[in-house]
Amino acid sequence: MFTPLVALLAILPAFVNAQSPVWGQCGGQGWTGATTCASGSVCTVSNPYYSQCLPSTGNGGGGGGGGGTTTSSTVSQPGQPTSTSSSPTTSSTPAAGNPFAGHNIYLTPFYAAEVAAAAANISDATTKAKALSVAKIPTFTWFDTVSKVPDLGTYLADASAQGKSSGTPMIVQIVVYDLPDRDCAALASNGEFSIANNGQANYFNYIDQLVAQIKKFPDVRVIAVIEPDSLANLVTNLNVQKCSNAQTTYLACVTYALQQLNKLGNVYSYLDAGHAGWLGWPANLTPAAQLFASLFKSAGSPNMVRGLATNVANYNALSASSPDPITQGNSNYDEIHYINALAPALQSSGFPAHFIVDQGRSGVQNIRQQWGDWCNVKGSGFGTRPTTNTGSSLIDSIVWVKPGGECDGTSNSSSPRYDSHCGLSDADQPAPEAGTWFQEFFVTLVTKANPPL
Ligand code: BGC
């Protein structure tokens, strides 16, 4: 009896002292490490796979979706007068003309809070100031779980009030991202719903909940990116069993999303279209255009579908000064070449060939070992700021879709969502779970921003 007690006392301090650092892991499926956090941070559940120590001071960082500033930002719009009326005009107009024109873009308090918490943990004054300035650049908010959907109501209410007080109507930018069997060709972003377990009905309910929030605020325009990677996977990855198994469900779900959002009249949708190094290979262009066009037609040619979003969460340049050697063999070596090559095939099949292009993390080029490397690419910098001054009549706006600093995927090989891309030598490590805050990666994005912050 005596001996075990001594042994227990001997190991007790190890448990008592074990703490995860700020932004370290503190829980989640299969986690055996510390479950308490360093002082100044609180263990917060991100998803069933991951709990993270988030700073408890300032605005608190992610996880709760609250706090932070709620100001707006205008992207430059040459030749587009902004409204001067005292109350914003209704956004319920047909999908004609650039939907970004004449609007201010809402700054999501969730990202602002993540950035504020990150900046509070940067000691160098210059870097800290640069980091803080990122909170004023509009990024999209990802609705990657159904539990986050009520936050949309808060943002829309806030945006509606801002639009009324400034006289310029507002845009709220969202990513619809909760398909069952999500991320079928990879592991890092596998989602909460599975096809085998009522996934399609759960997804329809998720869409219904988004719709219910948006319906309350017809004066706010919503720009929605629909389901990153999903249709691109159906173009090139049907050899992956999870993708071929998901094909019918993905199509039914995306169709449902487009149709329900379309009815609202104030939501402009852009379907995700991968990037130059994926659907931009010459052999993939026609099959891609055919898939987008046939889905669009079978959904009843919804008039608020504006076009496609490219390079979401990827690292390609819109217009590279010279081809990165890793793009060899593909004449569409950057997003503008990809878009120019895809547009005619879309136009001839009746799909609206307008684009938005994510440049949030594309500031530094020629840093990948292979074009297919997508996970937390080491040495990345923030890229061109959102603007409607895109240099191409096909492109409505350069946007920041992936919130810079949120992780692409964990480098912990024992996680159920570990994808080997996140363990490659050009992937920044150690990396936390997808969607959670990756402080070191964020600091690099800040310091290597191009143009500089
Ligand atoms: C993650 C999502 C996250 C999104 C934006 C994705 O890779 O799976 O959870 O919301 O990135 O950071």
Side-chain angles (χ1 to χ4, degrees):
M1 202 175 154
F2 177 74
T3 319
L5 184 64
V6 171
L8 183 65
L9 288 174
I11 58 171
L12 206 55
F15 282 115
V16 171
N17 292 333
Q19 283 189 331
S20 285
V22 184
W23 287 295
Q25 187 170 0
C26 55
Q29 238 171 62
W31 173 247
T32 53
T35 53
T36 54
C37 294
S39 87
S41 64
V42 173
C43 189
T44 309
V45 177
S46 304
N47 59 44
Y49 307 101
Y50 202 78
S51 298
Q52 188 175 29
C53 295
L54 295 177
S56 50
T57 50
N59 282 318
T69 52
T70 54
T71 49
S72 65
S73 159
T74 318
V75 293
S76 57
Q77 292 157 357
Q80 295 290 353
T82 49
S83 160
T84 50
S85 67
S86 59
S87 75
T89 53
T90 174
S91 290
S92 307
T93 52
N98 188 342
F100 288 83
H103 285 65
N104 286 338
I105 303 181
Y106 179 70
L107 295 170
T108 163
F110 181 81
Y111 187 60
E114 285 182 319
V115 168
N121 280 269
I122 295 173
S123 47
D124 177 72
T126 313
T127 312
K128 189 197 278 274
K130 287 181 176 180
L132 278 172
S133 70
V134 175
K136 300 265 181 268
I137 301 169
T139 61
F140 280 62
T141 304
W142 293 56
F143 290 90
D144 59 344
T145 59
V146 74
S147 66
K148 288 186 185 166
V149 173
D151 292 345
L152 179 57
T154 312
Y155 302 164
L156 291 167
D158 214 1
S160 173
Q162 287 175 24
K164 283 184 180 122
S165 74
S166 74
T168 302
M170 299 292 292
I171 284 171
V172 169
Q173 304 183 123
I174 68 169
V175 180
V176 176
Y177 192 55
D178 207 9
L179 280 177
D181 287 15
R182 194 176 70 193
D183 208 15
C184 64
L187 293 168
S189 285
N190 287 181
E192 62 181 344
F193 299 145
S194 82
I195 291 170
N197 188 15
N198 215 28
Q200 183 166 317
N202 287 337
Y203 187 80
F204 282 21
N205 169 57
Y206 159 80
I207 294 296
D208 292 347
Q209 292 198 33
L210 285 172
V211 165
Q213 297 295 348
I214 298 169
K215 210 177 221 157
K216 295 188 272 178
F217 302 96
D219 59 319
V220 179
R221 179 169 288 184
V222 173
I223 304 274
V225 167
I226 309 294
E227 296 295 346
D229 295 355
S230 61
L231 299 180
N233 273 324
L234 300 189
V235 176
T236 66
N237 286 326
L238 288 178
N239 58 324
V240 177
Q241 210 198 329
K242 192 173 171 192
C243 293
S244 59
N245 183 51
Q247 185 175 24
T248 320
T249 310
Y250 275 16
L251 293 173
C253 288
V254 172
T255 301
Y256 187 77
L258 294 182
Q259 289 176 334
Q260 299 310 308
L261 294 172
N262 202 67
K263 286 184 195 160
L264 293 163
N266 58 331
V267 183
Y268 288 76
S269 295
Y270 293 85
L271 288 166
D272 183 83
H275 59 90
W278 189 350
L279 301 184
W281 289 89
N284 294 337
L285 292 169
T286 305
Q290 280 168 353
L291 178 63
F292 293 124
S294 73
L295 181 118
F296 177 68
K297 270 191 200 127
S298 70
S301 305
N303 68 321
M304 302 297 286
V305 171
R306 175 70 183 168
L308 300 176
T310 81
N311 201 47
V312 169
N314 209 274
Y315 297 85
N316 297 333
L318 172 57
S319 180
S321 49
S322 64
D324 183 331
I326 57 170
T327 67
Q328 208 190 351
N330 185 354
S331 50
N332 300 317
Y333 58 84
D334 58 16
E335 295 303 300
I336 191 66
H337 283 85
Y338 167 40
I339 286 166
N340 286 338
L342 184 62
L346 294 169
Q347 280 152 353
S348 66
S349 57
F351 186 91
H354 304 285
F355 296 83
I356 53 176
V357 184
D358 190 357
Q359 289 292 282
R361 307 185 302 177
S362 297
V364 184
Q365 291 298 303
N366 299 12
I367 49 176
R368 286 173 285 184
Q369 265 157 22
Q370 293 189 55
W371 207 357
D373 296 354
W374 50 263
C375 195
N376 305 318
V377 175
K378 234 189 241 175
S380 298
F382 281 117
T384 310
R385 312 298 180 260
T387 176
T388 54
N389 192 3
T390 64
S392 163
S393 58
L394 292 170
I395 305 177
D396 288 338
S397 190
I398 289 170
V399 287
W400 285 18
V401 182
K402 173 82 185 181
E406 292 185 7
C407 190
D408 293 327
T410 180
S411 60
N412 172 4
S413 59
S414 60
S415 163
R417 296 206 303 176
Y418 173 70
D419 189 290
S420 58
H421 285 93
C422 304
L424 294 172
S425 60
D426 58 1
D428 202 359
Q429 297 168 55
E433 281 283 345
T436 65
W437 195 253
F438 190 176
Q439 177 75 353
E440 192 267 333
F441 192 72
F442 172 74
V443 173
T444 309
L445 286 170
V446 168
T447 53
K448 293 195 181 292
N450 173 29
L453 287 163

